[in-house]
Amino acid sequence: MSANPIATWATLLSIPEPSKGAMVRQNENKCFIGSIDQGTTSTRFLIFDEHGIPHASHQIEFKQIYPHSGWVEHDPYELVSSTETCIEEATKAFLAAGHSVSDIKAIGITNQRETTIVWDSETGEALHPAVVWPDTRTKRLVRKLKARSGAPDLQPLCGLPLSTYPSSVKLLWLLENVPSVRKAYDACRLAFGTVDSWLLFRLNGGLERNIHVTDPTNASRTMFLNIHTLKYDDQLLKFFGLEKEKLRLPKVVPSSDATGFGSLTSGILKGVRITGCLGDQSSALVGQCAFSPGRAKNTYGTGCFLLYNTGTEPVISKYGLLTTVAYDFGKGHKPVYALEGSIAAAGSAVKFLQNNLRIIGSDKEVGELAETVEDSGGVVFVTAFSGLFAPYWIDDAKGTIFGLTQHTQLGHIARATLEATCFQTHAILSAMEKDSGHTLHELAVDGGMSNSDFFIQIQTQSNILGLPIDRPLMRETTALGTAIAAGFAIGIWSEFEGMKHIGQEGRTVFRPRIGGAEREKMVKRWERAVGMCKGWMDDQHDDEQEEGGEGG
């Protein structure tokens, strides 16, 4: 490490170096918060100070498992081991910078949502690989559920439409296709959870403490939680044919809680309390300090997720969006809700160019390649690798490239790939305006793809959306959000007003550079492509792909 470790980490993590006055205050307070950020392709651990500046970080990518077409799985134990390793390595760097373990007052967890893990409540062992959120093996099951009596009544209760996306249908598939899961259920010892619940269970020593909890932001992605009461709903469970007595559901506690999430039972930070838990997209909203109704953020990760703060009353969408819990900080504060638009493929579409088509050597090269052409040359790439999510909800859509000619170059395909995320975001914003009755005047952004000025400005987000894009200098907002939740629980902050300054320095605003007529022409071409990408595989072939028993 350099003589000034804060400056070193500022360089590595694209953050501003704090002033000397700020540094004196940090050293005097010795108040830091750890943040576990367990994402779709990697796990990270960051250590933030009270100003939202990260001082240490470690990241590990883990294996993506694709047993069949449309299937995506993770090894549940690798999720845990990668988390433990990241905690160890980041903390070692933190200590090498002259700090001590006692300076870390609490830890928060943020995680990929909807990903489903089941384990035996008597042995504590996982019964199947994690079924990851974009997995589409449940397409045939979803069609059957949509035809079931009571299907139209679900979304007003839970905020989510029936699709391959939520945890509920993943659990049903496991019960129908994996004998060990069905056996545990029939014996009343099947524990169910999203990634946060599994990590909390293992980090708390497994059966030693048997901590089985979640927070409302994660629970609201299962279709089992009543979005109004924040309790598991008998009507919802009955629709999916589940019996409460046979299924062990995690206890729902506020996203910010001083005792409900336990503490680490081993490792370099043994004994440090876990006091915050947020699903990753809710965490990014908090990390952007979007605490006021009408504020919105868009995160460009493996997928792309736009959340719009609607305040303390849930708004059930009529235009293809999801209703989700934005955050619940307890302590007398009402839960806050959001409208959400989810895009299955964003960064993963860039990875497709890199790993499948091999037209770029790294994801950072996509912008450079796209800049070699003035526009997409009429090419439109509907990146529907897992169907299309909000606001379309087309499960049988396939990734489709339109408009290829002898003029087409690799740069056109790269540009069309980036534009696909932007056009879907435009569709989501249009739906949000209809649901909320308000026009969004600015959008805060974060996530890996937001690092590219080209992506944010040239013919992409700012131009296609037609509104200013606000990008923070420190873009680790997902990890920061759960650090804020953890710090709120232990009194580092006591009111939302006192947190609104976090991460607000050095922001950049990008403004549109094209006119409305050109934008409308581009959007209409995109919508035509969406209409033509449906139903590329017939039902018989779909069913053959979805049959497969245990599948890994």
Side-chain angles (χ1 to χ4, degrees):
M1 299 293 290
S2 69
N4 187 347
I6 296 178
T8 299
W9 283 108
T11 300
L12 292 175
L13 298 173
S14 301
I15 58 176
E17 182 178 351
S19 66
K20 291 182 179 179
M23 289 180 64
V24 168
R25 186 162 181 252
Q26 292 158 14
N27 291 335
E28 287 176 351
N29 290 339
K30 291 186 179 296
C31 188
F32 297 86
I33 304 166
S35 177
I36 297 167
D37 183 357
Q38 201 300 297
T40 308
T41 59
S42 69
T43 302
R44 299 185 301 162
F45 185 70
L46 295 89
I47 300 173
F48 291 93
D49 65 20
E50 63 184 284
H51 307 287
I53 298 173
H55 288 245
S57 174
H58 192 78
Q59 179 172 351
I60 295 175
E61 291 192 3
F62 52 83
K63 185 177 181 181
Q64 305 294 304
I65 305 168
Y66 305 104
H68 301 282
S69 175
W71 294 29
V72 190
E73 296 179 349
H74 292 157
D75 179 346
Y77 296 102
E78 190 175 10
L79 300 183
V80 177
S81 63
S82 63
T83 298
E84 293 172 336
T85 300
C86 286
I87 291 172
E88 293 289 315
E89 296 303 318
T91 304
K92 287 177 183 177
F94 182 73
L95 299 180
H99 303 288
S100 66
V101 167
S102 62
D103 295 339
I104 301 175
K105 305 302 181 183
I107 292 172
I109 290 180
T110 183
N111 56 280
Q112 52 171 311
R113 307 167 302 169
E114 297 92 22
T115 296
T116 301
I117 303 176
V118 289
W119 62 96
D120 190 313
S121 64
E122 292 185 359
T123 67
E125 298 303 311
L127 296 172
H128 190 271
V131 181
V132 186
W133 60 270
D135 187 289
T136 59
R137 73 185 69 184
T138 56
K139 284 188 292 185
R140 185 177 58 165
L141 175 58
V142 168
R143 288 197 293 269
K144 291 181 178 179
L145 291 171
K146 285 181 177 179
R148 185 177 290 181
S149 175
D153 302 326
L154 300 183
Q155 189 165 357
L157 286 175
C158 67
L160 307 181
L162 276 169
S163 73
T164 60
Y165 189 25
S167 308
S168 54
V169 295
K170 296 173 172 61
L171 175 60
L172 259 61
W173 187 94
L174 291 169
L175 284 168
E176 291 181 3
N177 292 276
V178 185
S180 60
V181 175
R182 170 56 67 174
K183 182 178 180 181
Y185 175 79
D186 290 338
C188 303
R189 51 185 176 83
L190 180 65
F192 157 85
T194 43
V195 171
D196 58 309
S197 297
W198 170 249
L199 286 181
L200 288 164
F201 173 69
R202 301 296 299 193
L203 295 176
N204 273 282
L207 294 177
E208 177 185 339
R209 291 181 180 171
N210 204 21
I211 299 289
H212 189 197
V213 297
T214 189
D215 90 300
T217 68
N218 281 295
S220 67
R221 315 301 295 190
T222 64
M223 294 193 79
F224 301 145
L225 190 81
N226 186 308
I227 201 80
H228 307 277
T229 65
L230 300 193
K231 296 180 180 179
Y232 295 119
D233 190 280
D234 289 340
Q235 181 178 338
L236 294 170
L237 292 169
K238 183 179 179 181
F239 175 86
F240 291 107
L242 298 169
E243 300 178 44
K244 267 187 177 180
E245 299 75 18
K246 292 184 176 181
L247 180 65
R248 296 181 182 268
L249 295 166
K251 178 183 177 182
V252 181
V253 300
S255 312
S256 178
D257 191 279
T259 60
F261 302 115
S263 61
L264 300 184
T265 57
S266 62
I268 197 169
L269 295 185
K270 180 180 179 179
V272 177
R273 283 186 292 167
I274 303 168
T275 60
C277 180
L278 289 163
D280 53 7
Q281 303 312 319
S282 287
S283 193
L285 189 76
V286 172
Q288 291 275 15
C289 296
F291 299 120
S292 304
R295 293 285 303 277
K297 71 88 198 174
N298 205 15
T299 297
Y300 306 94
T302 301
C304 180
F305 303 88
L306 199 160
L307 267 67
Y308 177 97
N309 184 329
T310 60
T312 56
E313 294 295 329
V315 175
I316 303 301
S317 176
K318 298 178 181 178
Y319 298 96
L321 302 179
L322 312 178
T323 304
T324 194
V325 179
Y327 52 87
D328 177 11
F329 275 20
K331 294 185 177 181
H333 295 278
K334 291 183 178 180
V336 172
Y337 297 88
L339 282 170
E340 176 176 338
S342 306
I343 300 169
S348 60
V350 176
K351 287 291 186 184
F352 176 80
L353 299 185
Q354 176 187 347
N355 298 331
N356 297 58
L357 300 187
R358 302 189 185 280
I359 67 174
I360 54 174
S362 70
D363 51 10
K364 294 180 181 179
E365 295 176 15
V366 67
E368 298 173 7
L369 181 57
E371 282 188 276
T372 62
V373 294
E374 293 184 1
D375 53 38
S376 67
V379 175
V380 178
F381 189 179
V382 183
T383 51
F385 304 121
S386 299
L388 286 173
F389 286 5
Y392 307 106
W393 300 110
I394 306 172
D395 290 337
D396 65 353
K398 294 294 179 182
T400 316
I401 301 178
F402 298 95
L404 297 179
T405 68
Q406 288 186 324
H407 168 70
T408 301
Q409 302 172 33
L410 294 181
H412 294 126
I413 295 174
R415 191 152 183 152
T417 303
L418 296 178
E419 289 183 352
T421 297
C422 306
F423 285 123
Q424 291 176 81
T425 301
H426 182 279
I428 289 168
L429 281 175
S430 297
M432 284 185 174
E433 289 180 3
K434 293 174 184 176
D435 275 324
S436 67
H438 299 285
T439 299
L440 192 67
H441 297 291
E442 187 175 79
L443 180 65
V445 299
D446 51 63
M449 290 175 71
S450 71
N451 291 327
S452 168
D453 287 2
F454 174 80
F455 172 70
I456 295 298
Q457 181 67 74
I458 306 297
Q459 284 295 103
T460 52
Q461 266 322 179
S462 186
N463 286 345
I464 290 174
L465 297 186
L467 79 167
I469 302 297
D470 179 10
R471 186 181 67 186
L473 183 60
M474 200 292 289
R475 291 160 211 160
E476 304 292 348
T477 52
T478 301
L480 176 59
T482 195
I484 290 173
F488 192 86
I490 61 173
I492 292 178
W493 303 283
S494 58
E495 294 295 335
F496 295 127
E497 194 63 35
M499 296 185 281
K500 287 184 177 180
H501 69 285
I502 298 173
Q504 299 307 301
E505 293 184 4
R507 301 180 77 95
T508 303
V509 177
F510 297 79
R511 301 186 185 280
R513 295 178 182 172
I514 66 173
E518 185 178 351
R519 181 180 305 115
E520 184 177 353
K521 181 180 178 182
M522 295 167 65
V523 169
K524 284 184 177 179
R525 185 169 58 193
W526 163 263
E527 293 295 340
R528 285 200 305 272
V530 168
M532 293 187 290
C533 77
K534 305 174 186 178
W536 277 95
M537 297 174 71
D538 60 36
D539 289 346
Q540 181 179 356
H541 192 267
D542 275 348
D543 293 346
E544 290 172 358
Q545 292 289 344
E546 290 160 10
E547 298 290 347
E550 295 220 16

